[in-house]
Amino acid sequence: MRTEAAICWAQNEPWSVEAIELDPPKAGEVRIQYIAAGLCHSDDHLVTGDMGFFWPIIGGHEGAGIVVDVGPGVTRVAPGDHVVPGFVAACGRCPSCVKGHSGLCDNGALIATGMQLDGTTRHHAKGQDIPTMASLATFAKYGVIPELNCVKIDHDIPLEVAALVGCGVSTGWGSAVYAAEVQPGETVAVIGVGGIGAAAIQGARMAGADRIIAIDPVDLKRELAPRFGATHTYPSVEEATEAIREETWGRMCDKVICSIGVGRGDLMASIMGIVGKRGRCVVTNIHPIHETQVSLSMADLTLMEKQIVGALFGSARPNFDIPNLLRLYQRGHLDLEGMITNRYKLGDINQGYKDMKDGKNIRGIIVHDH
């Protein structure tokens, strides 16, 4: 079938919305009509090359849609089901999956290839095969993805809202609840209040944090942060440091979550400066893939028993946490509508990413017209 998609043809080129050819699903695959897609910063990393990807590529890994048809052997979903794709195709059998870390499934290597499980692609444009972001391509109106990516959700959840849980919300919430292991009464700082940071604030709030400090240079994001649970806001780590010291009687933060648009190694020393004794810093944001230099006092790690941990997908598990977070939303515990700042058509994708970089969005979303 013919449909439309946003393709990045070369590094630092804008997204090009154009017609593509989409093959039918093969064995173990599902064709989805995408209804909405989140404008996650990770897809901008495709454009800049921060994650070392290749071009051309169809973007989009955060989204939600409706199953149109399925290939042979598919049992997890059926035509008409509403789904939120997890961006890692969790097999359930590899060592990470059986240990309860399905977000680190060995199939995650597909993210770096943009291919289906059989090593080929179903998307084509201008006479060539086009890889897709995380094998999903939510920046297309229709896509073919592995069954293992599909997470079925309730029909009464708006798909525009559900799309956010495919990456940003799960990543941010999980970074607080799972990776940071926030405990009741703790002081938590969240650096960067975009889609991930706003969800991390909500996760810290739900885990019982006493103080939640939101740090972001953008006025709009600091204004919105209290809606999600922030108790204090500051425009920079430097401006927050002395205030945190006074507020905590010198004990500093129990947990710090890094959800900056693009991480920088030269910022780590100041970030670790607001981490207290036996505190933990969770690095969720992407650093440029070739960055190897980090400014950091290693003696401080030892003498204060501080920790730095990484978190992919917030250490969450797609098949459990996507429906679980949507239940929390349905019960009024998780504010997803408040995270959607602006809506765009597919043709306006470049404006959406400009707005993200200009600090106008917590999360912008594409609403596909059909």
Side-chain angles (χ1 to χ4, degrees):
M1 64 176 292
R2 287 179 64 83
T3 186
E4 281 189 319
I7 304 173
C8 179
W9 287 97
Q11 186 173 6
N12 292 319
E13 285 193 3
W15 295 101
S16 174
V17 177
E18 52 194 274
I20 65 167
E21 292 290 338
L22 184 65
D23 296 338
K26 294 186 177 181
E29 297 175 357
V30 175
R31 180 154 50 192
I32 292 177
Q33 178 188 24
Y34 285 121
I35 302 301
L39 294 174
C40 180
H41 204 129
S42 293
D43 293 288
D44 188 63
H45 295 317
L46 294 180
V47 176
T48 63
D50 284 337
M51 289 199 293
F53 274 82
F54 44 81
W55 303 273
I57 188 167
I58 299 174
H61 67 286
E62 180 180 281
I66 303 169
V67 175
V68 176
D69 55 2
V70 301
V74 170
T75 59
R76 181 176 293 188
V77 293
D81 285 345
H82 288 196
V83 296
V84 171
F87 70 78
V88 174
C91 71
R93 300 184 300 273
C94 72
S96 293
C97 282
V98 299
K99 290 178 180 178
H101 304 291
S102 57
L104 289 173
C105 176
D106 288 352
N107 282 333
L110 288 173
I111 295 175
T113 69
M115 297 295 176
Q116 298 289 323
L117 290 171
D118 66 358
T120 64
T121 182
R122 308 291 165 261
H123 302 71
H124 317 279
K126 297 182 178 178
Q128 65 184 97
D129 296 342
I130 308 293
T132 61
M133 173 58 158
S135 304
L136 298 183
T138 62
F139 293 169
K141 294 184 177 182
Y142 289 83
V144 172
I145 70 173
E147 174 189 18
L148 295 177
N149 286 96
C150 293
V151 180
K152 184 178 175 179
I153 66 170
D154 293 343
H155 276 69
D156 58 351
I157 299 173
L159 289 170
E160 293 181 20
V161 171
L164 275 62
V165 184
C167 176
V169 171
S170 298
T171 298
W173 188 90
S175 292
V177 175
Y178 295 141
E181 297 181 320
V182 172
Q183 301 296 309
E186 289 189 331
T187 297
V188 179
V190 176
I191 307 174
V193 188
I196 292 174
I201 291 170
Q202 296 196 67
R205 184 199 75 228
M206 294 173 67
D210 179 28
R211 303 179 188 89
I212 303 175
I213 298 149
I215 301 173
D216 197 293
V218 178
D219 292 343
L220 172 66
K221 295 182 179 183
R222 294 198 307 278
E223 291 168 6
L224 291 174
R227 169 173 181 160
F228 306 117
T231 58
H232 305 70
T233 63
Y234 299 98
S236 69
V237 172
E238 289 72 22
E239 292 176 75
T241 300
E242 188 57 37
I244 294 170
R245 183 175 289 110
E246 292 179 7
E247 180 72 23
T248 62
W249 303 284
R251 296 186 179 277
M252 308 310 283
C253 296
D254 299 287
K255 307 290 166 56
V256 174
I257 299 165
C258 298
S259 49
I260 307 166
V262 181
R264 285 170 39 197
D266 62 351
L267 297 179
M268 288 307 298
S270 60
I271 290 171
M272 292 304 293
I274 63 173
V275 178
K277 293 179 181 179
R278 294 190 60 81
R280 180 179 298 176
C281 176
V282 175
V283 180
T284 296
N285 51 232
I286 292 292
H287 282 247
I289 196 164
H290 298 298
E291 181 188 69
T292 58
Q293 301 298 314
V294 177
S295 173
L296 184 65
S297 169
M298 298 303 293
D300 191 45
L301 289 184
T302 300
L303 298 176
M304 300 296 179
E305 293 194 9
K306 297 182 182 182
Q307 303 173 357
I308 302 176
V309 302
L312 177 68
F313 197 57
S315 300
R317 301 144 296 178
N319 290 298
F320 173 78
D321 286 296
I322 287 174
N324 185 52
L325 288 169
L326 290 174
R327 280 192 293 271
L328 292 173
Y329 156 74
Q330 288 178 305
R331 294 168 185 167
H333 301 306
L334 191 61
D335 182 3
L336 299 183
E337 281 101 341
M339 293 177 60
I340 300 174
T341 326
N342 288 293
R343 291 170 167 81
Y344 305 88
K345 296 300 183 184
L346 182 60
D348 299 323
I349 185 171
N350 290 307
Q351 181 63 49
Y353 272 110
K354 183 179 185 300
D355 289 348
M356 180 197 75
K357 293 179 179 180
D358 289 344
K360 296 180 180 179
N361 286 335
I362 294 292
R363 184 58 112 220
I365 63 166
I366 291 171
V367 180
H368 291 295
D369 50 0
H370 289 281

